[in-house]
Amino acid sequence: MSAGCLNKNSLSIAMLLCAGLLLAGCSSDQSSDAGSYSGSVYTVKRGDTLYRISRVTGTSVKEIARLNGISSPYTIEVGQKLKVSGGAKTSTASRKTTTKSSTKTAAVTPSSAVPQSSWPPVGQRCWVWPANGKVILRYSTADGGNKGIDISAASGTPIYAAGAGKVVYVGNQLRGYGNLIMIKHNEEYITAYAHNDTMLVNNGQSVKAGQKIATMGSSDAASVRLHFQIRYRATAIDPLRYLPPQGSKPKC
């Protein structure tokens, strides 16, 4: 983890935020679908995406696509058997590890903890678009679904801070997210920016809304994109519900 400029308090915050992202990515792994993979073969189940499978098996999205001859838009089917090359020995072992990890990070609120009916009202806070491009993957509340939005554009496209705040994580230690930046806006909100190419901010740095923080890339992704999340009280909420129409300024 790149934590050179963080003090102990900020580092603790960053660790909790990272754990929250991991729990969100793995929350559906504790379902009744035990035994979905063993060794180097993963059997697709309902709600799976390549991103979820990547996080479960420890195999990058690019590698899964390559091993199985899957091309954009990376469609997979329930029951399909996929070759993986991650380090997980068995589904059971992985599940035990996940359970143990969840116990250690009990202070982190999982992504389903704040029900949609309790999400903050639209307009409570101003957000700006983190990048210009096409939304190729929307937010989903389904098990294993996308907990943010994915925006596609050309490599090197600027990525901007969606709001003013303090950078609490810059690194690539979270498998499945590539080069990742997280910004804390206050005690309730953080935003996450994944799969970056060049990262232009440092841990502990204060940023303004709309400030360029990175360039778009494909780190740990199958194509060039930005995976963007807004988290409210550690819960991933739908960014499209709170962002203004693309290309326009917020009205709040």
Side-chain angles (χ1 to χ4, degrees), residues 9-63:
N9 183 53
S10 297
L11 180 58
S12 297
I13 293 172
M15 292 296 289
L16 288 176
L17 297 180
C18 293
L21 283 174
L22 285 173
L23 284 176
C26 299
S27 60
S28 60
D29 299 346
Q30 301 178 34
S31 66
S32 60
D33 297 314
S36 59
Y37 78 95
S38 178
S40 60
V41 178
Y42 182 97
T43 303
V44 178
K45 56 182 175 294
R46 186 177 300 279
D48 272 342
T49 64
L50 287 193
Y51 297 101
R52 178 180 182 280
I53 295 171
S54 170
R55 291 161 193 161
V56 170
T57 64
T59 308
S60 71
V61 172
K62 283 185 175 180
E63 183 68 2

mmCIF file of all heavy atoms in Angstrom, residues 9-63:
data_model
loop_
_atom_site.group_PDB
_atom_site.id
_atom_site.type_symbol
_atom_site.label_atom_id
_atom_site.label_comp_id
_atom_site.label_asym_id
_atom_site.label_seq_id
_atom_site.Cartn_x
_atom_site.Cartn_y
_atom_site.Cartn_z
ATOM 1 N N ASN A 9 -3.819 7.992 12.064
ATOM 2 C CA ASN A 9 -5.282 8.076 12.007
ATOM 3 C C ASN A 9 -5.776 7.922 10.585
ATOM 4 O O ASN A 9 -6.714 7.171 10.316
ATOM 5 C CB ASN A 9 -5.750 9.414 12.585
ATOM 6 C CG ASN A 9 -7.261 9.528 12.628
ATOM 7 O OD1 ASN A 9 -7.937 8.664 13.174
ATOM 8 N ND2 ASN A 9 -7.776 10.595 12.050
ATOM 9 N N SER A 10 -5.135 8.636 9.652
ATOM 10 C CA SER A 10 -5.543 8.554 8.248
ATOM 11 C C SER A 10 -5.308 7.163 7.694
ATOM 12 O O SER A 10 -6.098 6.652 6.895
ATOM 13 C CB SER A 10 -4.771 9.585 7.416
ATOM 14 O OG SER A 10 -5.081 10.891 7.831
ATOM 15 N N LEU A 11 -4.202 6.524 8.114
ATOM 16 C CA LEU A 11 -3.910 5.178 7.639
ATOM 17 C C LEU A 11 -4.981 4.204 8.092
ATOM 18 O O LEU A 11 -5.414 3.344 7.334
ATOM 19 C CB LEU A 11 -2.545 4.735 8.154
ATOM 20 C CG LEU A 11 -2.084 3.331 7.746
ATOM 21 C CD1 LEU A 11 -2.054 3.223 6.230
ATOM 22 C CD2 LEU A 11 -0.708 3.038 8.320
ATOM 23 N N SER A 12 -5.448 4.370 9.335
ATOM 24 C CA SER A 12 -6.518 3.505 9.839
ATOM 25 C C SER A 12 -7.779 3.676 9.025
ATOM 26 O O SER A 12 -8.468 2.715 8.690
ATOM 27 C CB SER A 12 -6.803 3.831 11.313
ATOM 28 O OG SER A 12 -5.668 3.564 12.107
ATOM 29 N N ILE A 13 -8.084 4.918 8.683
ATOM 30 C CA ILE A 13 -9.262 5.196 7.860
ATOM 31 C C ILE A 13 -9.125 4.520 6.510
ATOM 32 O O ILE A 13 -10.047 3.864 6.016
ATOM 33 C CB ILE A 13 -9.448 6.717 7.671
ATOM 34 C CG1 ILE A 13 -9.814 7.371 9.012
ATOM 35 C CG2 ILE A 13 -10.524 7.016 6.626
ATOM 36 C CD1 ILE A 13 -9.818 8.879 8.956
ATOM 37 N N ALA A 14 -7.955 4.655 5.890
ATOM 38 C CA ALA A 14 -7.734 4.057 4.578
ATOM 39 C C ALA A 14 -7.885 2.547 4.634
ATOM 40 O O ALA A 14 -8.469 1.940 3.739
ATOM 41 C CB ALA A 14 -6.334 4.421 4.065
ATOM 42 N N MET A 15 -7.358 1.932 5.693
ATOM 43 C CA MET A 15 -7.464 0.486 5.823
ATOM 44 C C MET A 15 -8.923 0.050 5.938
ATOM 45 O O MET A 15 -9.342 -0.944 5.351
ATOM 46 C CB MET A 15 -6.679 0.012 7.050
ATOM 47 C CG MET A 15 -5.164 0.160 6.912
ATOM 48 S SD MET A 15 -4.485 -0.863 5.593
ATOM 49 C CE MET A 15 -4.684 -2.489 6.320
ATOM 50 N N LEU A 16 -9.713 0.812 6.696
ATOM 51 C CA LEU A 16 -11.132 0.482 6.843
ATOM 52 C C LEU A 16 -11.878 0.646 5.527
ATOM 53 O O LEU A 16 -12.732 -0.171 5.168
ATOM 54 C CB LEU A 16 -11.777 1.362 7.918
ATOM 55 C CG LEU A 16 -11.385 1.052 9.364
ATOM 56 C CD1 LEU A 16 -12.018 2.052 10.309
ATOM 57 C CD2 LEU A 16 -11.794 -0.365 9.747
ATOM 58 N N LEU A 17 -11.546 1.705 4.786
ATOM 59 C CA LEU A 17 -12.202 1.924 3.498
ATOM 60 C C LEU A 17 -11.861 0.810 2.526
ATOM 61 O O LEU A 17 -12.713 0.327 1.787
ATOM 62 C CB LEU A 17 -11.778 3.275 2.921
ATOM 63 C CG LEU A 17 -12.169 4.502 3.731
ATOM 64 C CD1 LEU A 17 -11.680 5.757 3.038
ATOM 65 C CD2 LEU A 17 -13.661 4.566 3.950
ATOM 66 N N CYS A 18 -10.601 0.394 2.522
ATOM 67 C CA CYS A 18 -10.182 -0.704 1.652
ATOM 68 C C CYS A 18 -10.926 -1.979 2.018
ATOM 69 O O CYS A 18 -11.397 -2.716 1.153
ATOM 70 C CB CYS A 18 -8.677 -0.937 1.773
ATOM 71 S SG CYS A 18 -7.682 0.414 1.117
ATOM 72 N N ALA A 19 -11.028 -2.247 3.316
ATOM 73 C CA ALA A 19 -11.745 -3.435 3.758
ATOM 74 C C ALA A 19 -13.205 -3.373 3.342
ATOM 75 O O ALA A 19 -13.811 -4.374 2.972
ATOM 76 C CB ALA A 19 -11.635 -3.579 5.276
ATOM 77 N N GLY A 20 -13.784 -2.164 3.373
ATOM 78 C CA GLY A 20 -15.174 -2.012 2.948
ATOM 79 C C GLY A 20 -15.364 -2.365 1.496
ATOM 80 O O GLY A 20 -16.331 -3.013 1.109
ATOM 81 N N LEU A 21 -14.427 -1.939 0.640
ATOM 82 C CA LEU A 21 -14.498 -2.276 -0.777
ATOM 83 C C LEU A 21 -14.386 -3.775 -0.971
ATOM 84 O O LEU A 21 -15.089 -4.375 -1.782
ATOM 85 C CB LEU A 21 -13.386 -1.564 -1.543
ATOM 86 C CG LEU A 21 -13.592 -0.080 -1.825
ATOM 87 C CD1 LEU A 21 -12.351 0.510 -2.457
ATOM 88 C CD2 LEU A 21 -14.797 0.151 -2.707
ATOM 89 N N LEU A 22 -13.493 -4.407 -0.225
ATOM 90 C CA LEU A 22 -13.325 -5.848 -0.349
ATOM 91 C C LEU A 22 -14.572 -6.579 0.093
ATOM 92 O O LEU A 22 -15.003 -7.551 -0.531
ATOM 93 C CB LEU A 22 -12.124 -6.297 0.493
ATOM 94 C CG LEU A 22 -10.745 -5.969 -0.092
ATOM 95 C CD1 LEU A 22 -9.666 -6.324 0.915
ATOM 96 C CD2 LEU A 22 -10.531 -6.709 -1.392
ATOM 97 N N LEU A 23 -15.181 -6.135 1.181
ATOM 98 C CA LEU A 23 -16.403 -6.783 1.657
ATOM 99 C C LEU A 23 -17.521 -6.637 0.641
ATOM 100 O O LEU A 23 -18.303 -7.550 0.415
ATOM 101 C CB LEU A 23 -16.837 -6.172 2.999
ATOM 102 C CG LEU A 23 -16.018 -6.608 4.219
ATOM 103 C CD1 LEU A 23 -16.501 -5.861 5.454
ATOM 104 C CD2 LEU A 23 -16.113 -8.104 4.443
ATOM 105 N N ALA A 24 -17.607 -5.461 0.022
ATOM 106 C CA ALA A 24 -18.644 -5.260 -0.988
ATOM 107 C C ALA A 24 -18.441 -6.201 -2.154
ATOM 108 O O ALA A 24 -19.384 -6.767 -2.702
ATOM 109 C CB ALA A 24 -18.616 -3.810 -1.480
ATOM 110 N N GLY A 25 -17.174 -6.373 -2.556
ATOM 111 C CA GLY A 25 -16.883 -7.255 -3.678
ATOM 112 C C GLY A 25 -17.132 -8.704 -3.366
ATOM 113 O O GLY A 25 -17.423 -9.504 -4.249
ATOM 114 N N CYS A 26 -17.012 -9.083 -2.071
ATOM 115 C CA CYS A 26 -17.117 -10.485 -1.698
ATOM 116 C C CYS A 26 -18.395 -10.798 -0.950
ATOM 117 O O CYS A 26 -18.587 -11.930 -0.507
ATOM 118 C CB CYS A 26 -15.933 -10.870 -0.823
ATOM 119 S SG CYS A 26 -14.328 -10.682 -1.632
ATOM 120 N N SER A 27 -19.283 -9.834 -0.771
ATOM 121 C CA SER A 27 -20.458 -10.060 0.062
ATOM 122 C C SER A 27 -21.312 -11.206 -0.429
ATOM 123 O O SER A 27 -21.876 -11.962 0.342
ATOM 124 C CB SER A 27 -21.307 -8.779 0.110
ATOM 125 O OG SER A 27 -21.736 -8.422 -1.186
ATOM 126 N N SER A 28 -21.410 -11.380 -1.732
ATOM 127 C CA SER A 28 -22.243 -12.456 -2.252
ATOM 128 C C SER A 28 -21.552 -13.799 -2.211
ATOM 129 O O SER A 28 -22.171 -14.823 -2.470
ATOM 130 C CB SER A 28 -22.651 -12.140 -3.698
ATOM 131 O OG SER A 28 -21.497 -12.021 -4.503
ATOM 132 N N ASP A 29 -20.254 -13.830 -1.854
ATOM 133 C CA ASP A 29 -19.545 -15.101 -1.799
ATOM 134 C C ASP A 29 -20.030 -15.961 -0.649
ATOM 135 O O ASP A 29 -19.773 -17.147 -0.603
ATOM 136 C CB ASP A 29 -18.041 -14.865 -1.606
ATOM 137 C CG ASP A 29 -17.457 -14.076 -2.758
ATOM 138 O OD1 ASP A 29 -18.148 -13.975 -3.780
ATOM 139 O OD2 ASP A 29 -16.345 -13.565 -2.620
ATOM 140 N N GLN A 30 -20.703 -15.373 0.324
ATOM 141 C CA GLN A 30 -21.142 -16.120 1.471
ATOM 142 C C GLN A 30 -22.561 -16.642 1.280
ATOM 143 O O GLN A 30 -23.299 -16.875 2.205
ATOM 144 C CB GLN A 30 -21.062 -15.233 2.720
ATOM 145 C CG GLN A 30 -19.647 -14.741 2.966
ATOM 146 C CD GLN A 30 -19.568 -13.825 4.161
ATOM 147 O OE1 GLN A 30 -20.286 -13.994 5.134
ATOM 148 N NE2 GLN A 30 -18.691 -12.856 4.096
ATOM 149 N N SER A 31 -22.979 -16.809 0.070
ATOM 150 C CA SER A 31 -24.303 -17.318 -0.242
ATOM 151 C C SER A 31 -24.306 -18.829 -0.180
ATOM 152 O O SER A 31 -23.371 -19.461 0.253
ATOM 153 C CB SER A 31 -24.709 -16.847 -1.651
ATOM 154 O OG SER A 31 -23.873 -17.447 -2.602
ATOM 155 N N SER A 32 -25.375 -19.438 -0.669
ATOM 156 C CA SER A 32 -25.495 -20.892 -0.617
ATOM 157 C C SER A 32 -24.831 -21.571 -1.800
ATOM 158 O O SER A 32 -24.971 -22.769 -1.995
ATOM 159 C CB SER A 32 -26.989 -21.270 -0.599
ATOM 160 O OG SER A 32 -27.620 -20.790 -1.762
ATOM 161 N N ASP A 33 -24.071 -20.809 -2.619
ATOM 162 C CA ASP A 33 -23.460 -21.366 -3.819
ATOM 163 C C ASP A 33 -22.084 -21.949 -3.540
ATOM 164 O O ASP A 33 -21.147 -21.741 -4.294
ATOM 165 C CB ASP A 33 -23.349 -20.279 -4.906
ATOM 166 C CG ASP A 33 -24.702 -19.786 -5.337
ATOM 167 O OD1 ASP A 33 -25.579 -20.635 -5.564
ATOM 168 O OD2 ASP A 33 -24.882 -18.569 -5.437
ATOM 169 N N ALA A 34 -21.928 -22.654 -2.417
ATOM 170 C CA ALA A 34 -20.637 -23.239 -2.068
ATOM 171 C C ALA A 34 -20.216 -24.243 -3.138
ATOM 172 O O ALA A 34 -21.034 -24.893 -3.762
ATOM 173 C CB ALA A 34 -20.725 -23.935 -0.712
ATOM 174 N N GLY A 35 -18.908 -24.349 -3.327
ATOM 175 C CA GLY A 35 -18.396 -25.324 -4.282
ATOM 176 C C GLY A 35 -18.494 -24.871 -5.711
ATOM 177 O O GLY A 35 -18.461 -25.679 -6.624
ATOM 178 N N SER A 36 -18.617 -23.548 -5.942
ATOM 179 C CA SER A 36 -18.755 -23.050 -7.307
ATOM 180 C C SER A 36 -17.429 -23.111 -8.059
ATOM 181 O O SER A 36 -17.422 -23.059 -9.266
ATOM 182 C CB SER A 36 -19.287 -21.617 -7.302
ATOM 183 O OG SER A 36 -18.415 -20.773 -6.575
ATOM 184 N N TYR A 37 -16.314 -23.215 -7.336
ATOM 185 C CA TYR A 37 -15.058 -23.398 -8.044
ATOM 186 C C TYR A 37 -14.103 -24.242 -7.198
ATOM 187 O O TYR A 37 -14.211 -24.317 -5.989
ATOM 188 C CB TYR A 37 -14.418 -22.056 -8.394
ATOM 189 C CG TYR A 37 -13.708 -21.374 -7.252
ATOM 190 C CD1 TYR A 37 -12.337 -21.523 -7.074
ATOM 191 C CD2 TYR A 37 -14.396 -20.567 -6.363
ATOM 192 C CE1 TYR A 37 -11.680 -20.893 -6.039
ATOM 193 C CE2 TYR A 37 -13.750 -19.930 -5.327
ATOM 194 C CZ TYR A 37 -12.391 -20.088 -5.174
ATOM 195 O OH TYR A 37 -11.752 -19.456 -4.141
ATOM 196 N N SER A 38 -13.201 -24.867 -7.902
ATOM 197 C CA SER A 38 -12.186 -25.678 -7.243
ATOM 198 C C SER A 38 -10.960 -25.711 -8.130
ATOM 199 O O SER A 38 -11.071 -25.976 -9.331
ATOM 200 C CB SER A 38 -12.696 -27.102 -7.000
ATOM 201 O OG SER A 38 -11.704 -27.907 -6.404
ATOM 202 N N GLY A 39 -9.812 -25.417 -7.532
ATOM 203 C CA GLY A 39 -8.587 -25.425 -8.316
ATOM 204 C C GLY A 39 -8.586 -24.366 -9.396
ATOM 205 O O GLY A 39 -8.637 -23.184 -9.108
ATOM 206 N N SER A 40 -8.593 -24.789 -10.649
ATOM 207 C CA SER A 40 -8.470 -23.835 -11.752
ATOM 208 C C SER A 40 -9.737 -23.732 -12.595
ATOM 209 O O SER A 40 -9.692 -23.232 -13.711
ATOM 210 C CB SER A 40 -7.306 -24.242 -12.655
ATOM 211 O OG SER A 40 -7.536 -25.546 -13.191
ATOM 212 N N VAL A 41 -10.873 -24.183 -12.087
ATOM 213 C CA VAL A 41 -12.138 -24.114 -12.824
ATOM 214 C C VAL A 41 -13.201 -23.444 -11.960
ATOM 215 O O VAL A 41 -13.397 -23.806 -10.796
ATOM 216 C CB VAL A 41 -12.635 -25.518 -13.250
ATOM 217 C CG1 VAL A 41 -13.981 -25.407 -13.959
ATOM 218 C CG2 VAL A 41 -11.613 -26.189 -14.156
ATOM 219 N N TYR A 42 -13.880 -22.452 -12.517
ATOM 220 C CA TYR A 42 -14.963 -21.751 -11.828
ATOM 221 C C TYR A 42 -16.253 -21.971 -12.611
ATOM 222 O O TYR A 42 -16.293 -21.791 -13.819
ATOM 223 C CB TYR A 42 -14.667 -20.252 -11.735
ATOM 224 C CG TYR A 42 -15.725 -19.470 -10.983
ATOM 225 C CD1 TYR A 42 -15.563 -19.156 -9.645
ATOM 226 C CD2 TYR A 42 -16.888 -19.048 -11.617
ATOM 227 C CE1 TYR A 42 -16.520 -18.441 -8.950
ATOM 228 C CE2 TYR A 42 -17.858 -18.338 -10.936
ATOM 229 C CZ TYR A 42 -17.669 -18.036 -9.595
ATOM 230 O OH TYR A 42 -18.633 -17.340 -8.907
ATOM 231 N N THR A 43 -17.318 -22.347 -11.916
ATOM 232 C CA THR A 43 -18.627 -22.539 -12.543
ATOM 233 C C THR A 43 -19.487 -21.301 -12.300
ATOM 234 O O THR A 43 -19.736 -20.925 -11.161
ATOM 235 C CB THR A 43 -19.341 -23.776 -11.975
ATOM 236 O OG1 THR A 43 -18.504 -24.921 -12.159
ATOM 237 C CG2 THR A 43 -20.675 -23.997 -12.691
ATOM 238 N N VAL A 44 -19.922 -20.672 -13.367
ATOM 239 C CA VAL A 44 -20.675 -19.424 -13.289
ATOM 240 C C VAL A 44 -22.041 -19.666 -12.663
ATOM 241 O O VAL A 44 -22.748 -20.611 -13.030
ATOM 242 C CB VAL A 44 -20.847 -18.795 -14.685
ATOM 243 C CG1 VAL A 44 -21.667 -17.512 -14.603
ATOM 244 C CG2 VAL A 44 -19.485 -18.529 -15.313
ATOM 245 N N LYS A 45 -22.408 -18.788 -11.743
ATOM 246 C CA LYS A 45 -23.750 -18.852 -11.151
ATOM 247 C C LYS A 45 -24.470 -17.524 -11.362
ATOM 248 O O LYS A 45 -23.875 -16.544 -11.809
ATOM 249 C CB LYS A 45 -23.666 -19.189 -9.671
ATOM 250 C CG LYS A 45 -22.826 -18.268 -8.818
ATOM 251 C CD LYS A 45 -22.809 -18.775 -7.391
ATOM 252 C CE LYS A 45 -21.880 -17.961 -6.508
ATOM 253 N NZ LYS A 45 -20.471 -18.106 -6.880
ATOM 254 N N ARG A 46 -25.758 -17.505 -11.040
ATOM 255 C CA ARG A 46 -26.578 -16.322 -11.280
ATOM 256 C C ARG A 46 -25.990 -15.109 -10.566
ATOM 257 O O ARG A 46 -25.602 -15.174 -9.410
ATOM 258 C CB ARG A 46 -28.008 -16.568 -10.782
ATOM 259 C CG ARG A 46 -28.980 -15.428 -11.116
ATOM 260 C CD ARG A 46 -30.383 -15.785 -10.654
ATOM 261 N NE ARG A 46 -30.879 -16.982 -11.301
ATOM 262 C CZ ARG A 46 -31.402 -17.006 -12.530
ATOM 263 N NH1 ARG A 46 -31.479 -15.884 -13.236
ATOM 264 N NH2 ARG A 46 -31.845 -18.127 -13.055
ATOM 265 N N GLY A 47 -25.931 -13.998 -11.263
ATOM 266 C CA GLY A 47 -25.431 -12.761 -10.686
ATOM 267 C C GLY A 47 -23.939 -12.544 -10.875
ATOM 268 O O GLY A 47 -23.416 -11.488 -10.542
ATOM 269 N N ASP A 48 -23.228 -13.547 -11.418
ATOM 270 C CA ASP A 48 -21.790 -13.419 -11.596
ATOM 271 C C ASP A 48 -21.435 -12.441 -12.713
ATOM 272 O O ASP A 48 -22.151 -12.317 -13.714
ATOM 273 C CB ASP A 48 -21.166 -14.781 -11.940
ATOM 274 C CG ASP A 48 -20.787 -15.578 -10.710
ATOM 275 O OD1 ASP A 48 -20.688 -14.978 -9.625
ATOM 276 O OD2 ASP A 48 -20.598 -16.795 -10.835
ATOM 277 N N THR A 49 -20.353 -11.737 -12.540
ATOM 278 C CA THR A 49 -19.715 -10.947 -13.586
ATOM 279 C C THR A 49 -18.231 -11.309 -13.566
ATOM 280 O O THR A 49 -17.742 -11.909 -12.604
ATOM 281 C CB THR A 49 -19.853 -9.437 -13.324
ATOM 282 O OG1 THR A 49 -19.149 -9.116 -12.095
ATOM 283 C CG2 THR A 49 -21.315 -9.034 -13.165
ATOM 284 N N LEU A 50 -17.517 -10.935 -14.616
ATOM 285 C CA LEU A 50 -16.086 -11.230 -14.629
ATOM 286 C C LEU A 50 -15.370 -10.525 -13.481
ATOM 287 O O LEU A 50 -14.391 -11.031 -12.930
ATOM 288 C CB LEU A 50 -15.460 -10.817 -15.963
ATOM 289 C CG LEU A 50 -15.779 -11.687 -17.188
ATOM 290 C CD1 LEU A 50 -14.844 -11.328 -18.336
ATOM 291 C CD2 LEU A 50 -15.670 -13.170 -16.885
ATOM 292 N N TYR A 51 -15.883 -9.358 -13.096
ATOM 293 C CA TYR A 51 -15.246 -8.626 -12.006
ATOM 294 C C TYR A 51 -15.403 -9.373 -10.682
ATOM 295 O O TYR A 51 -14.480 -9.488 -9.889
ATOM 296 C CB TYR A 51 -15.847 -7.222 -11.898
ATOM 297 C CG TYR A 51 -15.581 -6.412 -13.135
ATOM 298 C CD1 TYR A 51 -16.561 -6.248 -14.105
ATOM 299 C CD2 TYR A 51 -14.326 -5.852 -13.354
ATOM 300 C CE1 TYR A 51 -16.302 -5.543 -15.264
ATOM 301 C CE2 TYR A 51 -14.058 -5.136 -14.514
ATOM 302 C CZ TYR A 51 -15.046 -4.984 -15.463
ATOM 303 O OH TYR A 51 -14.779 -4.293 -16.615
ATOM 304 N N ARG A 52 -16.602 -9.902 -10.454
ATOM 305 C CA ARG A 52 -16.833 -10.647 -9.219
ATOM 306 C C ARG A 52 -15.989 -11.919 -9.213
ATOM 307 O O ARG A 52 -15.373 -12.268 -8.208
ATOM 308 C CB ARG A 52 -18.312 -10.997 -9.085
ATOM 309 C CG ARG A 52 -18.614 -11.819 -7.827
ATOM 310 C CD ARG A 52 -20.098 -12.152 -7.737
ATOM 311 N NE ARG A 52 -20.367 -12.894 -6.529
ATOM 312 C CZ ARG A 52 -20.154 -14.197 -6.370
ATOM 313 N NH1 ARG A 52 -19.641 -14.894 -7.367
ATOM 314 N NH2 ARG A 52 -20.431 -14.798 -5.237
ATOM 315 N N ILE A 53 -15.969 -12.621 -10.342
ATOM 316 C CA ILE A 53 -15.189 -13.859 -10.432
ATOM 317 C C ILE A 53 -13.708 -13.555 -10.217
ATOM 318 O O ILE A 53 -12.988 -14.328 -9.577
ATOM 319 C CB ILE A 53 -15.430 -14.538 -11.795
ATOM 320 C CG1 ILE A 53 -16.893 -14.993 -11.904
ATOM 321 C CG2 ILE A 53 -14.504 -15.742 -11.977
ATOM 322 C CD1 ILE A 53 -17.291 -15.467 -13.281
ATOM 323 N N SER A 54 -13.241 -12.417 -10.736
ATOM 324 C CA SER A 54 -11.864 -12.019 -10.552
ATOM 325 C C SER A 54 -11.523 -11.895 -9.074
ATOM 326 O O SER A 54 -10.496 -12.374 -8.597
ATOM 327 C CB SER A 54 -11.601 -10.688 -11.262
ATOM 328 O OG SER A 54 -10.342 -10.151 -10.909
ATOM 329 N N ARG A 55 -12.422 -11.273 -8.317
ATOM 330 C CA ARG A 55 -12.155 -11.046 -6.896
ATOM 331 C C ARG A 55 -12.256 -12.335 -6.093
ATOM 332 O O ARG A 55 -11.557 -12.532 -5.115
ATOM 333 C CB ARG A 55 -13.119 -9.993 -6.363
ATOM 334 C CG ARG A 55 -12.824 -8.604 -6.929
ATOM 335 C CD ARG A 55 -13.980 -7.657 -6.792
ATOM 336 N NE ARG A 55 -13.759 -6.467 -7.621
ATOM 337 C CZ ARG A 55 -14.707 -5.643 -8.004
ATOM 338 N NH1 ARG A 55 -15.953 -5.877 -7.632
ATOM 339 N NH2 ARG A 55 -14.431 -4.596 -8.747
ATOM 340 N N VAL A 56 -13.148 -13.234 -6.525
ATOM 341 C CA VAL A 56 -13.318 -14.494 -5.807
ATOM 342 C C VAL A 56 -12.129 -15.417 -6.027
ATOM 343 O O VAL A 56 -11.648 -16.068 -5.098
ATOM 344 C CB VAL A 56 -14.624 -15.192 -6.255
ATOM 345 C CG1 VAL A 56 -14.693 -16.615 -5.709
ATOM 346 C CG2 VAL A 56 -15.834 -14.401 -5.767
ATOM 347 N N THR A 57 -11.644 -15.475 -7.255
ATOM 348 C CA THR A 57 -10.628 -16.469 -7.607
ATOM 349 C C THR A 57 -9.207 -15.942 -7.571
ATOM 350 O O THR A 57 -8.256 -16.723 -7.617
ATOM 351 C CB THR A 57 -10.887 -17.026 -9.019
ATOM 352 O OG1 THR A 57 -10.737 -15.960 -9.979
ATOM 353 C CG2 THR A 57 -12.296 -17.610 -9.121
ATOM 354 N N GLY A 58 -9.058 -14.613 -7.510
ATOM 355 C CA GLY A 58 -7.715 -14.061 -7.524
ATOM 356 C C GLY A 58 -7.091 -14.007 -8.899
ATOM 357 O O GLY A 58 -5.879 -13.859 -9.041
ATOM 358 N N THR A 59 -7.912 -14.124 -9.942
ATOM 359 C CA THR A 59 -7.444 -14.045 -11.325
ATOM 360 C C THR A 59 -7.917 -12.732 -11.926
ATOM 361 O O THR A 59 -9.074 -12.367 -11.778
ATOM 362 C CB THR A 59 -8.005 -15.212 -12.163
ATOM 363 O OG1 THR A 59 -7.736 -16.438 -11.498
ATOM 364 C CG2 THR A 59 -7.387 -15.237 -13.546
ATOM 365 N N SER A 60 -7.048 -12.001 -12.593
ATOM 366 C CA SER A 60 -7.444 -10.717 -13.156
ATOM 367 C C SER A 60 -8.493 -10.911 -14.248
ATOM 368 O O SER A 60 -8.589 -11.977 -14.876
ATOM 369 C CB SER A 60 -6.231 -9.989 -13.730
ATOM 370 O OG SER A 60 -5.771 -10.631 -14.906
ATOM 371 N N VAL A 61 -9.280 -9.874 -14.468
ATOM 372 C CA VAL A 61 -10.307 -9.919 -15.518
ATOM 373 C C VAL A 61 -9.672 -10.206 -16.869
ATOM 374 O O VAL A 61 -10.176 -11.005 -17.662
ATOM 375 C CB VAL A 61 -11.092 -8.591 -15.557
ATOM 376 C CG1 VAL A 61 -12.021 -8.554 -16.772
ATOM 377 C CG2 VAL A 61 -11.903 -8.412 -14.278
ATOM 378 N N LYS A 62 -8.552 -9.557 -17.162
ATOM 379 C CA LYS A 62 -7.872 -9.768 -18.440
ATOM 380 C C LYS A 62 -7.468 -11.226 -18.615
ATOM 381 O O LYS A 62 -7.605 -11.802 -19.695
ATOM 382 C CB LYS A 62 -6.636 -8.870 -18.534
ATOM 383 C CG LYS A 62 -6.924 -7.408 -18.851
ATOM 384 C CD LYS A 62 -5.624 -6.656 -19.043
ATOM 385 C CE LYS A 62 -5.885 -5.215 -19.474
ATOM 386 N NZ LYS A 62 -4.636 -4.454 -19.675
ATOM 387 N N GLU A 63 -6.979 -11.826 -17.525
ATOM 388 C CA GLU A 63 -6.524 -13.208 -17.602
ATOM 389 C C GLU A 63 -7.692 -14.163 -17.813
ATOM 390 O O GLU A 63 -7.591 -15.120 -18.589
ATOM 391 C CB GLU A 63 -5.755 -13.572 -16.328
ATOM 392 C CG GLU A 63 -5.169 -14.976 -16.318
ATOM 393 C CD GLU A 63 -4.044 -15.183 -17.325
ATOM 394 O OE1 GLU A 63 -3.670 -14.222 -18.020
ATOM 395 O OE2 GLU A 63 -3.526 -16.311 -17.406
#
